[in-house]
Amino acid sequence: MAIARKRQVSLVDTKYYHCISRCVRRAFLCGEDRFTGQSYEHRRGWVEDKLLELAKVFCIDVCAYAVMSNHTHLVLYVDDKKANRLNDKAIVIHWHKLCKGTLLTQKYIQGERLSKVELIFFNQTVKEYRERLSSISWFMRVLNEDIARRANKEDNCTGRFWEGRFKSQALLDEAALAACMAYVDLNPIRAKMANTPEESDHTSVQNRLTCAAEGKQPKQLLRFAGMPRQIMSKGLPFELKSYLELVELTGRIIREDKCGHIDNMNLPLLERLNISRDNWLKLTTQFTRVFHGAVGRPTSQASYCENFKRKRRANISNCEKLLA
């Protein structure tokens, strides 16, 4: 039985989540349909553009993404502190970029005075918008609905375009986060759609590598903030250079024409995360096969399960083998 979304998201334990959406039709989301010969490659651009556009509106940052032929992978960071920090006017402005809002929110934005009764209903609406802007479910709903409508219009049909629910995994610690991000960034290479990360179109790693060549980080993605420290700015707890080097090397190794071995070169990120080279290769090629729920070291799993009052710890065996 599927687990309710509210029973999967625990911002007390982690703000990082891996989300997967799959296309339900025979025809591909993107790429070329071998039955009709029609190309849907342009739809990958739809998904990428909409995803990065929503990251500017929601209080949710994109850490990694890969738009594949019949599914999408996202690693998201929920910035609930930002949602709570924004004032009422900012919340309404953000929401109006997605929807029309209500008569009261429109009236408020136009500078009209609200009565006491109207203010009560307005405050309830703003509270609801604030929660939605930091909700993964709403983020995925807006993203997938927009793509589904455009695809249905293009295909001149109606009905489901995506599976009923997107899948989500809580990433409970740095090891799980790094492994999942690399798994997502290397998806096109495993699928033989690209030979190297920089050739992987419509992925976060290509976006980051393009900007890194100019000594920058992409504004649309959550930035790398460097090594964890006591006073740390918002961002991924890794060094950009170390992560990109590791992904580049791993991508070259998992190609079919390369031997599956990481040499003994200096890999500071793996050393800090205490993940063996063999385990890293398995994590970045089989992440969704070996993990079917929250991912993290046993100590992280214990806290997560305790908050949800769960006795059974999913993935505990594989977490102990690959991440401990």
Side-chain angles (χ1 to χ4, degrees), residues 26-40:
R26 183 187 72 179
F28 279 0
L29 160 64
C30 312
E32 186 174 306
D33 186 340
R34 65 179 182 274
F35 294 98
T36 65
Q38 185 173 351
S39 175
Y40 297 97

Side-chain angles (χ1 to χ4, degrees), residues 25 43 147-158:
R25 292 191 194 144
R43 292 180 181 173
I147 302 303
R149 286 197 183 99
R150 293 178 69 178
N152 280 349
K153 185 177 180 181
E154 184 178 61
D155 294 341
N156 192 28
C157 67
T158 58

Side-chain angles (χ1 to χ4, degrees), residues 58-307:
F58 279 82
C59 297
I60 291 176
D61 294 287
V62 179
C63 305
Y65 66 87
V67 185
M68 304 300 290
S69 294
N70 61 356
H71 66 285
T72 61
H73 284 276
L74 309 177
V75 177
L76 304 176
Y77 172 85
V78 182
D79 193 353
D80 56 327
K81 289 183 179 180
K82 178 182 177 181
N84 292 328
R85 189 171 63 244
L86 293 176
N87 60 34
D88 290 354
K89 186 173 183 179
I91 290 292
V92 173
I93 290 173
H94 274 248
W95 189 256
H96 280 186
K97 291 179 181 178
L98 302 171
C99 307
K100 292 181 179 179
T102 66
L103 290 174
L104 291 179
T105 59
Q106 291 288 350
K107 190 175 177 181
Y108 173 81
I109 288 298
Q110 291 167 9
E112 297 182 34
R113 190 182 182 89
L114 301 180
S115 68
K116 289 184 178 180
V117 174
E118 287 177 328
L119 272 174
I120 292 173
F121 287 102
F122 171 78
N123 289 334
Q124 290 175 347
T125 301
V126 171
K127 181 182 178 183
E128 189 175 293
Y129 289 172
R130 194 182 300 276
E131 291 172 354
R132 290 179 180 180
L133 287 173
S134 60
S135 165
I136 290 175
S137 292
W138 272 93
F139 185 95
M140 296 300 293
R141 173 179 176 175
V142 175
L143 172 64
N144 287 348
E145 279 187 0
D146 179 77
I147 302 303
R149 286 197 183 99
R150 293 178 69 178
N152 280 349
K153 185 177 180 181
E154 184 178 61
D155 294 341
N156 192 28
C157 67
T158 58
R160 286 189 181 277
F161 184 76
W162 303 95
E163 286 182 349
R165 280 165 53 105
F166 68 92
K167 296 179 181 178
S168 68
Q169 289 180 300
L171 305 174
L172 302 176
D173 50 39
E174 290 178 24
L177 174 61
C180 187
M181 284 182 61
Y183 170 81
V184 169
D185 280 331
L186 293 169
N187 247 263
I189 293 175
R190 289 195 310 278
K192 300 179 183 179
M193 295 169 67
N195 290 323
T196 61
E198 60 268 27
E199 295 174 8
S200 302
D201 295 333
H202 306 292
T203 62
S204 52
V205 71
Q206 185 189 60
N207 198 334
R208 292 190 189 278
L209 284 166
T210 302
C211 291
E214 301 175 2
K216 301 176 182 177
Q217 293 200 47
K219 294 181 180 179
Q220 313 99 313
L221 302 177
L222 185 62
R223 63 187 296 275
F224 282 79
M227 297 280 286
R229 50 198 180 275
Q230 196 167 16
I231 300 176
M232 187 172 179
S233 58
K234 175 185 167 183
L236 294 161
F238 314 119
E239 291 180 339
L240 174 62
K241 183 174 181 290
S242 297
Y243 176 78
L244 292 180
E245 285 178 349
L246 184 58
V247 170
E248 174 76 14
L249 176 61
T250 309
R252 293 184 183 279
I253 290 167
I254 63 176
R255 281 173 50 193
E256 203 170 64
D257 60 337
K258 299 290 183 179
C259 57
H261 171 70
I262 297 180
D263 60 27
N264 291 321
M265 67 180 289
N266 182 33
L267 296 171
L269 187 53
L270 279 190
E271 291 171 4
R272 180 165 73 77
L273 296 176
N274 195 30
I275 300 176
S276 74
R277 290 170 171 80
D278 290 340
N279 285 353
W280 176 255
L281 284 175
K282 189 167 185 178
L283 287 167
T284 51
T285 55
Q286 302 179 36
F287 194 89
T288 54
R289 291 184 188 177
V290 296
F291 300 122
H292 299 283
V295 185
R297 291 196 162 103
T299 51
S300 303
Q301 285 266 6
S303 173
Y304 179 79
C305 291
E306 185 179 340
N307 284 331

